Amino acid sequence: MSGDIDDKPQPLIEHLIELRRRLLWAVGAFFIAFLVCFYFAKQLFNLLVLPFKWAVEWAGLTHRNVELIYTAPQEFFFTQIKVAMFGALVIAFPVIAQQIYKFVAPGLYKNERAAFLPFLIASPILFLIGAALVYFFFTPMVMWFFLAMEQGGGEGQVSIQLLPKVSEYLGLIMSLIFAFGLVFQLPVISSLLVRAGFIDTQALVSKRKYAIVIAFIVAAVLTPPDPVSQIGLALPAILLYEISIYTARLIERQRARASEAQNAENEVAATPGEAD
């Protein structure tokens, strides 16, 4: 086991130099991605507006143009910066995750590295699944819910139309993407905690009712104050909690089989000595 880990003593300054190197790579990747995304910021924002266009079609308002406004001269400029930062974080995340792994990997055993690497791959995949769910389904549904509140005007009515600000619309879709992306990390986090021995399947099962309540509370905090998005986040969170329980069972069974195999090997190794 001692050969599996690089246990040669290293001064603190070497760790700091290595940390600086990894940070430079991560920040450099983010900065380059930010410049590219800022150059295409308007095109990226137009992509983010597509769910709003789909909601307009769902609401049967195809006769009207999809319009967003900004009420301060600098508002759309700062919105483009936020779009560029959001896109840069998504694009540069593989490089950032790789640098994190390269920094911590020398301090891990081979079996720990083998266990950690799949989670490093699964985390962005699950985040993208959550983001895709928001983009293609929940954002159009939320915008359709708000569009349904419009008032067409006429006899005794005032015409009321939804004209969202660019910053507020971006804040809405970004908050939904981050909320769903974080919730979709639940199987990864629970699996890591199970592997580390902090929790087990029995604990997850016994806390199921509390998890359901917490899911609705978190959904109420992270999403806009409408029932569609809150229920839409709470239900996947509960489903992911059940998946976490199933994953924890698989990990415990795998650990039990590995332990039995190790005990069998120890018994076989001890047999010749007992015979002598």
Side-chain angles (χ1 to χ4, degrees):
M1 182 67 73
S2 60
D4 292 344
I5 189 172
D6 184 10
D7 53 4
K8 294 183 294 184
Q10 294 182 351
L12 177 61
I13 188 66
E14 292 188 12
H15 289 289
L16 294 177
I17 292 173
E18 179 68 12
L19 177 61
R20 183 186 65 176
R21 183 185 300 115
R22 299 306 172 191
L23 285 175
L24 287 175
W25 275 101
V27 173
F30 177 82
F31 182 71
I32 294 173
F34 172 80
L35 293 178
V36 174
C37 291
F38 185 75
Y39 183 80
F40 296 101
K42 289 185 178 179
Q43 290 87 339
L44 292 174
F45 189 81
N46 287 330
L47 287 176
L48 294 176
V49 175
L50 283 178
F52 187 18
K53 293 182 179 180
W54 298 335
V56 170
E57 295 176 358
W58 292 2
L61 302 174
T62 54
H63 60 278
R64 57 171 283 188
N65 294 326
V66 176
E67 297 180 359
L68 288 87
I69 63 173
Y70 60 96
T71 57
Q74 74 280 7
E75 181 179 346
F76 190 45
F77 173 74
F78 285 114
T79 299
Q80 293 182 69
I81 291 178
K82 292 178 181 179
V83 170
M85 293 179 66
F86 178 72
L89 185 61
V90 173
I91 294 174
F93 181 81
V95 178
I96 297 172
Q98 181 186 37
Q99 298 307 311
I100 295 174
Y101 178 74
K102 286 185 176 181
F103 180 72
V104 301
L108 301 176
Y109 293 105
K110 286 183 178 180
N111 60 333
E112 292 173 337
R113 289 197 293 267
F116 181 73
L117 190 57
F119 295 110
L120 197 62
I121 298 173
S123 181
I125 293 176
L126 289 174
F127 186 91
L128 290 176
I129 293 174
L133 191 63
V134 169
Y135 185 83
F136 291 104
F137 183 70
F138 280 104
T139 299
M141 182 183 294
V142 170
M143 295 308 298
W144 170 82
F145 176 81
F146 292 142
L147 284 167
M149 299 180 181
E150 286 191 345
Q151 189 169 280
E155 187 67 26
Q157 288 186 340
V158 177
S159 178
I160 301 175
Q161 289 188 345
L162 174 63
L163 293 175
K165 296 172 61 177
V166 291
S167 59
E168 293 177 350
Y169 176 79
L170 179 65
L172 170 65
I173 192 169
M174 285 179 59
S175 63
L176 286 174
I177 288 175
F178 278 117
F180 276 75
L182 291 176
V183 167
F184 270 66
Q185 302 304 308
L186 185 59
V188 174
I189 296 173
S190 61
S191 299
L192 286 173
L193 291 176
V194 170
R195 282 189 177 274
F198 291 109
I199 58 174
D200 55 16
T201 304
Q202 186 62 35
L204 291 173
V205 172
S206 63
K207 300 297 189 297
R208 180 186 279 120
K209 56 183 179 181
Y210 303 108
I212 295 174
V213 175
I214 293 173
F216 280 96
I217 294 175
V218 171
V221 172
L222 295 179
T223 60
D226 67 277
V228 176
S229 57
Q230 291 177 4
I231 296 175
L233 179 58
L235 292 182
I238 296 171
L239 176 61
L240 288 168
Y241 189 83
E242 297 299 325
I243 294 175
S244 300
I245 295 175
Y246 176 74
T247 306
R249 286 198 179 105
L250 292 179
I251 293 174
E252 289 179 349
R253 289 172 186 172
Q254 181 182 8
R255 183 185 298 167
R257 287 195 295 266
S259 178
E260 291 175 359
Q262 184 64 39
N263 292 335
E265 290 180 3
N266 294 338
E267 292 178 0
V268 171
T271 302
E274 293 176 356
D276 291 342

